[in-house]
Amino acid sequence: MKKIILAALVLIGMTCQAQKATEKETIVVIKTNYGTIKAKLYNDTPLHRDNFIKLVNEGWYNNSPFHRIIKNFMIQGGQNADGRLDPGYKVPAEIKSNHFHKKGALCAARQPDQVNPKKASSGSQFYIVQGQKYDDQTLDMYEDRLGKVFGAKERQAYKTVGGTPHLDGDYTVFGEVIEGMDVVEKIAAVKTGRMDAPIEAVTMTIEIEK
């Protein structure tokens, strides 16, 4: 009897895993004045996924600016077109070891640890990683200095594709670019001024792909 129950539990677990693996991922379309970026939202960060979808459906990101751009690092946006920096709430952190800051990662911005020790995310601010490539020596240095450990998958990505490895474990990664990385590169290359703001406005409107 115990063997039958155990077998049934194993079967149920395998079924749940298969369903999770095949669960449809939400695709968002970020239309900018430099072109279109498509990104998928991860299902294992549901709080961030659902919040992002809610804001998109409410039109929060209509004509919203990319207000902070740092070449070889990331492009950041998320404030409302009317100037509101966020909707007035935070999203609990969903930092997963299987999601890291490779090039194209879609991540939630947040306030620093001093005022935000639980690493809760901004209600709307996000960034897309451009980053750069790193060699093993530099990754070793980050591990020693920051107390991080990069697995084989992360190391391979940071050496061949690039990213921002020093942010791993500190910010929620809740999606990734699947099309339009060339647009991210174009935006990252624009001229910026005070506070890393672009000299000429870079705006977006985000939709959910049907």
Side-chain angles (χ1 to χ4, degrees):
M1 186 66 175
K2 289 183 179 179
K3 290 183 178 180
I4 295 175
I5 293 173
L6 179 61
L9 290 173
V10 170
L11 181 61
I12 291 171
M14 292 174 63
T15 302
C16 290
Q17 288 181 349
Q19 288 175 342
K20 186 175 181 180
T22 58
E23 187 179 352
K24 185 178 179 180
E25 292 175 309
T26 300
I27 306 299
V28 294
V29 182
I30 307 171
K31 298 180 178 179
T32 80
N33 46 333
Y34 282 81
T36 298
I37 303 164
K38 285 189 178 183
K40 66 179 181 179
L41 307 181
Y42 298 143
N43 288 326
D44 61 354
T45 52
L47 299 178
H48 286 72
R49 177 199 62 197
D50 293 349
N51 180 65
F52 201 77
I53 292 171
K54 177 183 79 73
L55 292 176
V56 170
N57 288 334
E58 291 174 353
W60 176 273
Y61 297 110
N62 290 348
N63 298 312
S64 174
F66 280 101
H67 63 276
R68 183 171 179 241
I69 296 172
I70 304 176
K71 189 176 182 181
N72 296 324
F73 183 32
M74 58 88 215
I75 62 174
Q76 181 175 335
Q79 65 186 53
N80 193 271
D82 65 11
R84 284 178 291 164
L85 296 178
D86 60 58
Y89 59 82
K90 292 182 175 67
V91 181
E94 294 180 292
I95 298 171
K96 307 283 187 178
S97 60
N98 57 316
H99 299 317
F100 55 98
H101 285 76
K102 64 184 177 182
K103 187 174 186 175
L106 174 63
C107 317
R110 67 175 180 85
Q111 291 180 307
D113 288 356
Q114 297 92 316
V115 295
N116 181 29
K118 293 185 178 180
K119 305 182 191 298
S121 302
S122 160
S124 61
Q125 295 276 326
F126 70 90
Y127 59 95
I128 299 174
V129 172
Q130 182 199 26
Q132 56 186 304
K133 295 178 184 178
Y134 294 85
D135 57 23
D136 279 313
Q137 184 177 4
T138 305
L139 293 172
D140 289 344
M141 179 195 69
Y142 276 133
E143 285 188 333
D144 291 338
R145 182 186 298 175
L146 303 174
K148 299 179 185 292
V149 177
F150 303 115
K153 183 179 179 181
E154 288 87 347
R155 279 184 172 266
Q156 182 66 13
Y158 289 137
K159 291 192 295 182
T160 59
V161 178
T164 56
H166 59 285
L167 298 182
D168 284 352
D170 288 324
Y171 296 81
T172 296
V173 180
F174 66 97
E176 66 181 85
V177 172
I178 57 173
E179 289 181 28
M181 196 62 209
D182 59 317
V183 178
V184 175
E185 300 280 7
K186 290 176 185 177
I187 295 173
V190 303
K191 292 183 178 180
T192 58
R194 184 173 176 273
M195 303 291 289
D196 302 310
I199 301 298
E200 296 184 4
V202 181
T203 60
M204 73 180 99
T205 293
I206 307 181
E207 302 171 355
I208 306 296
E209 185 173 76
K210 303 301 183 183

